[in-house]
PDB file of all heavy atoms in Angstrom:
ATOM      1  N   GLY A 157     -22.814   1.134  -6.746  1.00  0.00           N
ATOM      2  CA  GLY A 157     -22.548   2.220  -5.818  1.00  0.00           C
ATOM      3  C   GLY A 157     -23.260   3.469  -6.294  1.00  0.00           C
ATOM      4  O   GLY A 157     -23.369   3.711  -7.531  1.00  0.00           O
ATOM      5  N   PHE A 158     -23.754   4.333  -5.386  1.00  0.00           N
ATOM      6  CA  PHE A 158     -24.497   5.547  -5.703  1.00  0.00           C
ATOM      7  C   PHE A 158     -23.588   6.506  -6.571  1.00  0.00           C
ATOM      8  O   PHE A 158     -24.110   7.407  -7.232  1.00  0.00           O
ATOM      9  CB  PHE A 158     -25.015   6.227  -4.509  1.00  0.00           C
ATOM     10  CG  PHE A 158     -26.072   5.408  -3.739  1.00  0.00           C
ATOM     11  CD1 PHE A 158     -25.828   4.879  -2.546  1.00  0.00           C
ATOM     12  CD2 PHE A 158     -27.341   5.192  -4.374  1.00  0.00           C
ATOM     13  CE1 PHE A 158     -26.795   4.137  -1.822  1.00  0.00           C
ATOM     14  CE2 PHE A 158     -28.270   4.451  -3.679  1.00  0.00           C
ATOM     15  CZ  PHE A 158     -27.990   3.924  -2.396  1.00  0.00           C
ATOM     16  N   TRP A 159     -22.255   6.390  -6.429  1.00  0.00           N
ATOM     17  CA  TRP A 159     -21.401   7.300  -7.109  1.00  0.00           C
ATOM     18  C   TRP A 159     -20.807   6.751  -8.365  1.00  0.00           C
ATOM     19  O   TRP A 159     -19.977   7.373  -9.055  1.00  0.00           O
ATOM     20  CB  TRP A 159     -20.194   7.697  -6.156  1.00  0.00           C
ATOM     21  CG  TRP A 159     -20.624   8.398  -4.946  1.00  0.00           C
ATOM     22  CD1 TRP A 159     -21.326   7.891  -3.818  1.00  0.00           C
ATOM     23  CD2 TRP A 159     -20.314   9.763  -4.672  1.00  0.00           C
ATOM     24  NE1 TRP A 159     -21.488   8.925  -2.928  1.00  0.00           N
ATOM     25  CE2 TRP A 159     -20.853  10.034  -3.348  1.00  0.00           C
ATOM     26  CE3 TRP A 159     -19.724  10.770  -5.325  1.00  0.00           C
ATOM     27  CZ2 TRP A 159     -20.871  11.322  -2.735  1.00  0.00           C
ATOM     28  CZ3 TRP A 159     -19.636  12.062  -4.738  1.00  0.00           C
ATOM     29  CH2 TRP A 159     -20.179  12.306  -3.471  1.00  0.00           C
ATOM     30  N   PHE A 160     -21.270   5.600  -8.798  1.00  0.00           N
ATOM     31  CA  PHE A 160     -20.745   4.988 -10.089  1.00  0.00           C
ATOM     32  C   PHE A 160     -21.473   5.591 -11.267  1.00  0.00           C
ATOM     33  O   PHE A 160     -22.667   5.753 -11.246  1.00  0.00           O
ATOM     34  CB  PHE A 160     -20.881   3.481 -10.022  1.00  0.00           C
ATOM     35  CG  PHE A 160     -20.319   2.754 -11.254  1.00  0.00           C
ATOM     36  CD1 PHE A 160     -19.011   2.440 -11.327  1.00  0.00           C
ATOM     37  CD2 PHE A 160     -21.153   2.411 -12.291  1.00  0.00           C
ATOM     38  CE1 PHE A 160     -18.574   1.811 -12.463  1.00  0.00           C
ATOM     39  CE2 PHE A 160     -20.698   1.831 -13.456  1.00  0.00           C
ATOM     40  CZ  PHE A 160     -19.403   1.503 -13.492  1.00  0.00           C
ATOM     41  N   PRO A 161     -20.773   5.725 -12.428  1.00  0.00           N
ATOM     42  CA  PRO A 161     -19.346   5.600 -12.643  1.00  0.00           C
ATOM     43  C   PRO A 161     -18.614   6.828 -12.341  1.00  0.00           C
ATOM     44  O   PRO A 161     -17.433   6.849 -11.874  1.00  0.00           O
ATOM     45  CB  PRO A 161     -19.261   5.252 -14.129  1.00  0.00           C
ATOM     46  CG  PRO A 161     -20.378   6.022 -14.746  1.00  0.00           C
ATOM     47  CD  PRO A 161     -21.489   5.970 -13.710  1.00  0.00           C
ATOM     48  N   ASN A 162     -19.122   8.041 -12.549  1.00  0.00           N
ATOM     49  CA  ASN A 162     -18.480   9.327 -12.395  1.00  0.00           C
ATOM     50  C   ASN A 162     -19.520  10.334 -11.811  1.00  0.00           C
ATOM     51  O   ASN A 162     -20.534  10.528 -12.439  1.00  0.00           O
ATOM     52  CB  ASN A 162     -17.874   9.910 -13.665  1.00  0.00           C
ATOM     53  CG  ASN A 162     -16.847   8.999 -14.252  1.00  0.00           C
ATOM     54  OD1 ASN A 162     -15.853   8.681 -13.608  1.00  0.00           O
ATOM     55  ND2 ASN A 162     -17.011   8.571 -15.524  1.00  0.00           N
ATOM     56  N   GLU A 163     -19.242  10.871 -10.689  1.00  0.00           N
ATOM     57  CA  GLU A 163     -20.041  11.920 -10.105  1.00  0.00           C
ATOM     58  C   GLU A 163     -19.197  13.092  -9.707  1.00  0.00           C
ATOM     59  O   GLU A 163     -18.224  12.867  -8.951  1.00  0.00           O
ATOM     60  CB  GLU A 163     -20.836  11.444  -8.939  1.00  0.00           C
ATOM     61  CG  GLU A 163     -21.983  10.372  -9.345  1.00  0.00           C
ATOM     62  CD  GLU A 163     -23.124  11.158  -9.994  1.00  0.00           C
ATOM     63  OE1 GLU A 163     -23.147  12.341 -10.070  1.00  0.00           O
ATOM     64  OE2 GLU A 163     -23.991  10.375 -10.586  1.00  0.00           O
ATOM     65  N   SER A 164     -19.481  14.261 -10.108  1.00  0.00           N
ATOM     66  CA  SER A 164     -18.624  15.434  -9.954  1.00  0.00           C
ATOM     67  C   SER A 164     -19.163  16.322  -8.872  1.00  0.00           C
ATOM     68  O   SER A 164     -20.328  16.795  -8.894  1.00  0.00           O
ATOM     69  CB  SER A 164     -18.471  16.219 -11.238  1.00  0.00           C
ATOM     70  OG  SER A 164     -17.674  17.393 -11.043  1.00  0.00           O
ATOM     71  N   GLU A 165     -18.394  16.665  -7.818  1.00  0.00           N
ATOM     72  CA  GLU A 165     -18.683  17.593  -6.768  1.00  0.00           C
ATOM     73  C   GLU A 165     -20.107  17.366  -6.117  1.00  0.00           C
ATOM     74  O   GLU A 165     -20.875  18.304  -6.089  1.00  0.00           O
ATOM     75  CB  GLU A 165     -18.512  19.016  -7.267  1.00  0.00           C
ATOM     76  CG  GLU A 165     -17.062  19.343  -7.793  1.00  0.00           C
ATOM     77  CD  GLU A 165     -16.787  20.809  -7.850  1.00  0.00           C
ATOM     78  OE1 GLU A 165     -17.491  21.582  -7.221  1.00  0.00           O
ATOM     79  OE2 GLU A 165     -15.847  21.123  -8.598  1.00  0.00           O
ATOM     80  N   LYS A 166     -20.335  16.188  -5.708  1.00  0.00           N
ATOM     81  CA  LYS A 166     -21.442  15.888  -4.926  1.00  0.00           C
ATOM     82  C   LYS A 166     -21.001  15.780  -3.443  1.00  0.00           C
ATOM     83  O   LYS A 166     -19.861  15.880  -3.117  1.00  0.00           O
ATOM     84  CB  LYS A 166     -22.159  14.622  -5.412  1.00  0.00           C
ATOM     85  CG  LYS A 166     -22.602  14.714  -6.884  1.00  0.00           C
ATOM     86  CD  LYS A 166     -23.537  15.783  -7.116  1.00  0.00           C
ATOM     87  CE  LYS A 166     -24.112  15.667  -8.511  1.00  0.00           C
ATOM     88  NZ  LYS A 166     -23.159  15.812  -9.628  1.00  0.00           N
ATOM     89  N   PHE A 167     -21.929  15.296  -2.558  1.00  0.00           N
ATOM     90  CA  PHE A 167     -21.653  15.371  -1.126  1.00  0.00           C
ATOM     91  C   PHE A 167     -21.888  14.123  -0.369  1.00  0.00           C
ATOM     92  O   PHE A 167     -22.805  13.400  -0.699  1.00  0.00           O
ATOM     93  CB  PHE A 167     -22.530  16.473  -0.484  1.00  0.00           C
ATOM     94  CG  PHE A 167     -22.269  17.826  -1.083  1.00  0.00           C
ATOM     95  CD1 PHE A 167     -23.152  18.255  -2.131  1.00  0.00           C
ATOM     96  CD2 PHE A 167     -21.303  18.636  -0.549  1.00  0.00           C
ATOM     97  CE1 PHE A 167     -22.885  19.555  -2.655  1.00  0.00           C
ATOM     98  CE2 PHE A 167     -21.136  19.924  -1.096  1.00  0.00           C
ATOM     99  CZ  PHE A 167     -21.938  20.362  -2.148  1.00  0.00           C
ATOM    100  N   LEU A 168     -21.016  13.875   0.566  1.00  0.00           N
ATOM    101  CA  LEU A 168     -21.169  12.861   1.584  1.00  0.00           C
ATOM    102  C   LEU A 168     -21.737  13.515   2.776  1.00  0.00           C
ATOM    103  O   LEU A 168     -21.255  14.562   3.180  1.00  0.00           O
ATOM    104  CB  LEU A 168     -19.824  12.172   1.990  1.00  0.00           C
ATOM    105  CG  LEU A 168     -19.192  11.281   0.929  1.00  0.00           C
ATOM    106  CD1 LEU A 168     -17.736  10.824   1.423  1.00  0.00           C
ATOM    107  CD2 LEU A 168     -19.934   9.984   0.635  1.00  0.00           C
ATOM    108  N   GLY A 169     -22.752  12.919   3.397  1.00  0.00           N
ATOM    109  CA  GLY A 169     -23.311  13.353   4.634  1.00  0.00           C
ATOM    110  C   GLY A 169     -22.626  12.660   5.760  1.00  0.00           C
ATOM    111  O   GLY A 169     -22.603  11.382   5.824  1.00  0.00           O
ATOM    112  N   VAL A 170     -22.055  13.370   6.726  1.00  0.00           N
ATOM    113  CA  VAL A 170     -21.191  12.741   7.807  1.00  0.00           C
ATOM    114  C   VAL A 170     -21.677  13.282   9.160  1.00  0.00           C
ATOM    115  O   VAL A 170     -22.301  14.296   9.257  1.00  0.00           O
ATOM    116  CB  VAL A 170     -19.726  13.002   7.631  1.00  0.00           C
ATOM    117  CG1 VAL A 170     -19.352  12.419   6.235  1.00  0.00           C
ATOM    118  CG2 VAL A 170     -19.323  14.405   7.770  1.00  0.00           C
ATOM    119  N   ARG A 171     -21.357  12.491  10.150  1.00  0.00           N
ATOM    120  CA  ARG A 171     -21.393  12.990  11.547  1.00  0.00           C
ATOM    121  C   ARG A 171     -20.267  12.394  12.308  1.00  0.00           C
ATOM    122  O   ARG A 171     -19.813  11.231  11.965  1.00  0.00           O
ATOM    123  CB  ARG A 171     -22.702  12.604  12.216  1.00  0.00           C
ATOM    124  CG  ARG A 171     -23.055  11.127  12.384  1.00  0.00           C
ATOM    125  CD  ARG A 171     -24.464  11.023  12.913  1.00  0.00           C
ATOM    126  NE  ARG A 171     -24.837   9.559  13.109  1.00  0.00           N
ATOM    127  CZ  ARG A 171     -26.026   9.177  13.471  1.00  0.00           C
ATOM    128  NH1 ARG A 171     -26.998  10.122  13.598  1.00  0.00           N
ATOM    129  NH2 ARG A 171     -26.326   7.906  13.683  1.00  0.00           N
TER     130      ARG A 171
END
Side-chain angles (χ1 to χ4, degrees):
F158 295 112
W159 294 72
F160 181 83
N162 298 302
E163 290 290 348
S164 178
E165 299 199 20
K166 302 302 190 300
F167 300 91
L168 292 171
V170 301
R171 62 185 183 188

